[in-house]
Amino acid sequence: MANTIQFSNVFIASDILSTSMKEQDSNLRWLQDLFSRPLSNGSGVAVAVASRRWNDAFGFERERFFELSGMAVDLEETQIFFEASKVADASIDYFRQHFPPGSVIFGYELSAATREVIDRSGLTYIDMWLHPIRFLDDLLFAFNSNDHEFKERMSSFELPEELSYVYAGRLRVQMYRGKPRISNDLKPHSALYVGQTLKDKAIASDRGMLSLLNFCPEFDAAAQRYHHIYYSRHPFVKNGDEKTLSYARGFKNVSLTENPTYMLLASDEIEFVFTISSSVVTEAKYFGKETQYLFKPPVRIYSDDGYCSLLHNYLFSDFWRYVFSGGERPDARSINFIDGRNKVRDMLNWYWGFRQIDRLEGLYNNVSSLLARKG
């Protein structure tokens, strides 16, 4: 598509169909601040935002789209599931009307159904997801496109997978030799089950939002196979999962753990890591664990059909100029930060378990907490 159609516009979007407008607009603020300039410079065409809050001329209505297909969905839910195969041609026509021919939709965490709608509309997308590996010096993003040449050019900047093995190996040693060093009282021949939030695009399905209760046979099999299962509850979940917890506590060899995730992954006692769709299972591979997704990961990496793993280059105009037009490929080192450590992590305030493995971040967090208590 890239070589046959003159691109007319680039639209910066969140998931325009599966995600609530409140959540879309929250993401679009930082997306447009980061990407409007490099996408415009790189593509040579106008860049607009696919939201009426940020773009008065954008008239697309999610409610109308689903009405035209006779789908009853709760638009106030942060994430919804819908089957793209049930989207009527009238909805596709309505969607297409709001994007001029030749438009590229630069989308943040587009669901599979939304990507299929864009495909059926004859439009091009570039999809960006938060990368599942989060223990490197900064956060990565994962990119994909339905345009083969776009994908190929982006992939030429992919970070080597070897780095993930190297960093995981470093953490394994750090947990017993370095600092922070974690006290290990785990039982040998154990498994780790990784819990998730109760409502998320990664667990949305035609059965509703999935929970461990949808996978009781698989959990039961793990409990029989391993001496112990450590259940790691998602730190953001404080209530609403009582039935799931009651089920898990019904096993004599299952216990809840509050140990840091990376300490668990770095421990020899944990041999198997499983989850519905948490990115932790992708990370566990690099620590040498046996892994299982009970559902599916939202993003696959380092595979023929997977997303490419990019660090920082995507913030620069020359990167996008090459992606859109080809020509001479820029040196990846010339389109990077002077010092790339924690630039995205600090900017978005996305740390999760990183504070437990990084001495400076851990120190900063502890001092901040002490000052806050004194204040």
Side-chain angles (χ1 to χ4, degrees):
M1 190 177 296
N3 291 332
T4 59
I5 295 178
Q6 177 63 47
F7 290 107
S8 56
N9 295 84
V10 175
F11 284 88
I12 295 174
S14 186
D15 191 325
I16 195 170
L17 299 177
S18 295
T19 303
S20 70
M21 288 309 307
K22 180 180 179 181
E23 183 70 10
Q24 284 188 53
D25 288 334
S26 174
N27 288 322
L28 285 169
R29 182 175 184 182
W30 64 267
L31 287 168
Q32 64 176 317
D33 282 344
L34 281 185
F35 290 101
S36 292
R37 184 195 58 80
L39 284 173
S40 178
N41 289 345
S43 67
V45 300
V47 172
V49 179
S51 169
R52 185 169 291 176
R53 176 178 177 183
W54 307 104
N55 179 5
D56 290 339
F58 190 72
F60 178 81
E61 296 286 351
R62 292 174 75 215
E63 183 176 13
R64 180 60 178 158
F65 174 88
F66 289 110
E67 280 179 350
L68 288 168
S69 292
M71 292 182 175
V73 298
D74 186 351
L75 299 179
E76 297 303 314
E77 287 286 350
T78 302
Q79 307 291 349
I80 63 169
F81 174 85
F82 70 96
E83 295 186 44
S85 60
K86 296 182 179 179
V87 173
D89 289 342
S91 292
I92 298 296
D93 290 340
Y94 175 74
F95 186 90
R96 188 187 295 119
Q97 291 169 13
H98 295 85
F99 297 94
S103 293
V104 176
I105 298 175
F106 177 82
Y108 180 63
E109 300 197 343
L110 303 177
S111 67
T114 297
R115 298 195 299 269
E116 187 171 332
V117 167
I118 296 173
D119 268 334
R120 285 177 60 188
S121 301
L123 300 169
T124 299
Y125 66 76
I126 295 172
D127 187 22
M128 180 182 88
W129 281 72
L130 177 63
H131 198 276
I133 298 172
R134 299 169 192 174
F135 53 80
L136 303 187
D137 286 339
D138 200 6
L139 295 174
L140 308 177
F141 280 101
F143 288 79
N144 205 350
S145 177
N146 60 343
D147 183 283
H148 175 73
E149 292 190 0
F150 283 3
K151 172 66 179 297
E152 189 175 73
R153 292 168 189 158
M154 290 189 294
S155 295
S156 72
F157 291 87
E158 183 161 55
L159 214 62
E161 186 176 20
E162 175 75 2
L163 277 174
S164 296
Y165 286 105
V166 171
Y167 272 73
R170 167 181 168 268
L171 288 175
R172 285 177 60 85
V173 175
Q174 177 182 315
M175 289 301 168
Y176 62 84
R177 291 279 297 184
K179 293 182 179 180
R181 190 181 307 172
I182 306 296
S183 176
N184 186 345
D185 60 354
L186 301 174
K187 298 177 181 179
H189 191 50
S190 290
L192 170 65
Y193 175 78
V194 183
Q196 297 178 240
T197 56
L198 304 184
K199 295 182 179 181
D200 188 271
K201 191 177 299 182
I203 57 172
S205 76
D206 57 1
R207 292 178 284 172
M209 292 292 170
L210 299 172
S211 75
L212 178 58
L213 298 178
N214 295 104
F215 303 98
C216 292
E218 292 86 348
F219 192 85
D220 182 75
Q224 294 183 47
R225 180 180 174 189
Y226 292 94
H227 292 165
H228 199 82
I229 295 181
Y230 292 95
Y231 184 116
S232 182
R233 192 183 189 195
H234 195 283
F236 293 167
V237 176
K238 306 302 181 184
N239 54 65
D241 61 342
E242 290 80 10
K243 291 183 179 179
T244 300
L245 293 178
S246 177
Y247 165 73
R249 285 169 173 151
F251 293 83
K252 293 182 179 179
N253 63 335
V254 175
S255 63
L256 267 65
T257 178
E258 295 184 358
N259 283 319
T261 300
Y262 293 125
M263 173 262 184
L264 295 165
L265 296 185
S267 301
D268 292 337
E269 289 78 7
I270 300 295
E271 300 177 6
F272 175 58
V273 183
F274 65 126
T275 186
I276 298 173
S277 61
S278 171
S279 61
V280 173
V281 163
T282 295
E283 294 181 297
K285 166 189 172 182
Y286 300 97
F287 290 83
K289 308 303 180 185
E290 182 183 351
T291 63
Q292 182 184 9
Y293 275 106
L294 300 177
F295 184 45
K296 59 184 178 181
V299 169
R300 296 186 184 276
I301 55 170
Y302 298 116
S303 61
D304 291 339
D305 62 344
Y307 282 56
C308 57
S309 306
L310 302 183
L311 176 69
H312 298 156
N313 300 143
Y314 54 81
L315 296 172
F316 292 79
S317 300
D318 283 349
F319 172 86
W320 291 110
R321 189 172 293 111
Y322 175 70
V323 171
F324 282 106
S325 304
E328 184 177 355
R329 181 185 178 278
D331 185 337
R333 293 171 296 181
S334 70
I335 49 174
N336 218 320
F337 289 108
I338 297 170
D339 175 6
R341 183 173 173 79
N342 284 340
K343 291 297 184 289
V344 174
R345 190 175 275 125
D346 288 345
M347 172 181 62
L348 295 173
N349 195 31
W350 287 349
Y351 293 93
W352 300 293
F354 187 76
R355 285 196 172 104
Q356 280 79 46
I357 62 175
D358 185 84
R359 295 176 70 178
L360 290 178
E361 288 300 329
L363 176 63
Y364 175 81
N365 191 53
N366 290 337
V367 170
S368 297
S369 299
L370 287 172
L371 290 175
R373 284 199 292 268
K374 289 183 179 180

